[in-house]
Amino acid sequence: MRILLTGGAGFIGSACLVALLKRGDDVAVVDAFEDTLYDRHIKEANLRWARQHGHFDFHEVDLRNREAMTALLRHAQPELVLHLGAVAGVRASIAKAPYYFDVNVTGTAQLFELSRAVGVKNYVLASSSSVYGGNTKAPFAEGDPVAHPISPYAASKRAMELMAHADQRIHGGHVTLLRLFTVYGPRQRPEMAFHKFMRLIHSGEAVPMFGDGSTGRDYTFIDDAVAGILAAAQHPDGYRIYNIGGDRVVRLNEAITAIGAVVGRTPKIAPRPQQPSDVALTWADLTRARAELGYNPTTALHTGLTAMWRWYSTQTASAPPSSIDSRGGVQ
Ligand SMILES: NC(=O)c1ccc[n+]([C@@H]2O[C@H](COP(=O)([O-])OP(=O)(O)OC[C@H]3O[C@@H](n4cnc5c(N)ncnc54)[C@H](O)[C@@H]3O)[C@@H](O)[C@H]2O)c1
């Protein structure tokens, strides 16, 4: 299949790229090496395995660049747009709300406009569990209220979902939104909690623990997330939203202990006040994704952390971004 993959140099995008190349898809990647959260050299390294083992077209282009996007879409003629490109990061969005909306909402609206013009009818977009805001009814189901995001990032993702709904109503075809729940594993973004905790525990520094450690997250291992993304691409069904989670809630203090166990050091804790943009709990109801996509996350926390630690401790950029090839050894 001919696929346009945005954000393909990022954490999740580069893992998807590997999976698509292994399937034999014809992939055009768009990424601007945007540096709000982390440096370009890390993203270059994310692409190294795909560059060595597969063939794909890479375009260093800002998805907001109308002229460049028009030209590359005409050339690529994709059947599927897999849109993972975005400025991510809840806390970083607080100081940059207009920019987050420009990339995540306006950039996505333009991507729809330009790709519709070359006949695209199937879209899979990365949304986020953060759209559930401070909801207290758990687990979170796709039909739950999502009108109260508590960060600009979350608001931008919800606005993107609404814009995508309008686009699908007008133009038809298939638009699938995936509400990803905290993804972890090899190549995780360096500012994300598990990566940061691994780095600090490994170097003997204190781990900042926001709140009392009781906040809970539904963590999704990267291979499970990629399986959900690929399943969504294969089950187009008009406008649909799916939760993609790991099917368990892990408390913050439990996560820190588990990371300490794989690193082999007892974590030191530096208590910090709860952050206003952080929600107390995320927990995915996977009923719909299971029934309609056949999504079934299988990776236990210890297994996923072991794979991530093995990647972290070697930092070999020639290893595949996802641990698909190496999971056998740790399961
Ligand atoms: N990692 C998670 O736990 C998580 C959870 C929920 C949703 N998501 C969503 O999944 C997607 C991928 O997240 P990730 O963790 O891999 O983040 P990432 O930052 O590693 O990847 C995003 C990529 O998009 C690119 N990008 C940003 N702005 C761009 C622009 N204007 N033009 C072209 N490229 C641009 C970045 O350079 C980056 O490589 C994002 O849409 C994110 O919002 C991620």
Side-chain angles (χ1 to χ4, degrees):
M1 195 194 295
R2 290 188 309 279
I3 299 171
L4 180 80
L5 169 64
T6 71
F11 162 43
I12 301 173
S14 59
C16 284
L17 177 60
V18 169
L20 295 172
L21 293 178
K22 284 181 177 175
R23 263 182 14 177
D25 289 305
D26 182 357
V27 190
V29 174
V30 171
D31 201 294
F33 295 114
E34 199 279 341
D35 64 358
T36 296
L37 298 173
Y38 62 111
D39 288 349
R40 125 176 238 134
H41 75 270
I42 301 175
K43 295 181 187 184
E44 299 267 18
N46 286 346
L47 287 172
R48 202 167 299 157
W49 188 91
R51 283 195 157 124
Q52 284 168 353
H53 294 85
H55 173 75
F56 60 99
D57 286 334
F58 184 81
H59 305 270
E60 183 174 346
V61 165
D62 189 313
L63 62 89
R64 295 167 300 166
N65 181 333
R66 193 173 181 87
E67 204 181 327
M69 288 299 292
T70 301
L72 79 86
L73 277 160
R74 280 193 190 137
H75 177 73
Q77 294 288 324
E79 297 152 282
L80 166 73
V81 169
L82 183 47
H83 181 38
L84 307 181
V87 259
V90 167
R91 289 181 198 159
S93 73
I94 295 170
K96 288 182 141 184
Y99 176 59
Y100 273 67
F101 271 71
D102 194 32
V103 176
N104 297 353
V105 188
T106 309
T108 303
Q110 181 178 269
L111 179 65
F112 270 109
E113 180 198 349
L114 301 180
S115 54
R116 291 291 191 189
V118 298
V120 177
K121 293 191 171 53
N122 191 12
Y123 295 83
V124 175
L125 284 72
S127 185
S128 163
S129 61
S130 62
V131 300
Y132 292 109
N135 284 7
T136 49
K137 176 207 150 264
F140 303 160
E142 292 87 343
D144 290 348
V146 282
H148 301 99
I150 62 169
S151 69
Y153 168 71
S156 77
K157 286 290 176 180
R158 180 58 186 145
M160 182 192 77
E161 291 185 349
L162 295 171
M163 194 280 307
H165 183 266
D167 188 276
Q168 195 275 339
R169 274 302 170 98
I170 295 163
H171 298 288
H174 307 286
V175 177
T176 309
L177 277 309
L178 300 177
R179 291 180 178 163
L180 303 172
F181 283 66
T182 317
V183 185
Y184 74 101
R187 305 274 158 84
Q188 193 192 42
R189 303 194 318 256
E191 100 292 354
M192 289 186 75
F194 279 15
H195 191 149
K196 198 164 76 181
F197 295 171
M198 227 167 235
R199 186 168 63 239
L200 293 171
I201 294 170
H202 178 51
S203 62
E205 291 169 71
V207 174
M209 191 171 80
F210 295 97
D212 63 1
S214 66
T215 54
R217 288 283 175 279
D218 189 332
Y219 292 102
T220 316
F221 187 60
I222 182 67
D223 291 7
D224 291 324
V226 170
I229 292 166
L230 298 192
Q234 269 156 356
H235 292 83
D237 188 20
Y239 181 85
R240 292 304 276 160
I241 295 180
Y242 297 101
N243 288 335
I244 297 295
D247 205 22
R248 86 191 79 81
V249 173
V250 181
R251 302 278 158 207
L252 179 58
N253 47 17
E254 232 183 286
I256 294 172
T257 305
I259 294 169
V262 298
V263 172
R265 297 183 87 139
T266 304
K268 294 180 209 151
I269 305 293
R272 298 272 189 275
Q274 189 63 45
Q275 299 285 293
S277 59
D278 286 358
V279 299
L281 174 72
T282 68
W283 181 10
D285 183 331
L286 298 178
T287 310
R288 184 187 289 180
R290 281 204 162 95
E292 297 181 19
L293 303 180
Y295 174 67
N296 187 31
T298 53
T299 312
L301 182 69
H302 181 74
T303 307
L305 283 176
T306 304
M308 184 171 170
W309 170 239
R310 188 160 49 189
W311 161 77
Y312 180 89
S313 47
T314 57
Q315 292 279 339
T316 51
S318 55
S322 144
S323 60
I324 287 165
D325 283 343
S326 56
R327 259 168 70 177
V330 292
Q331 267 185 322

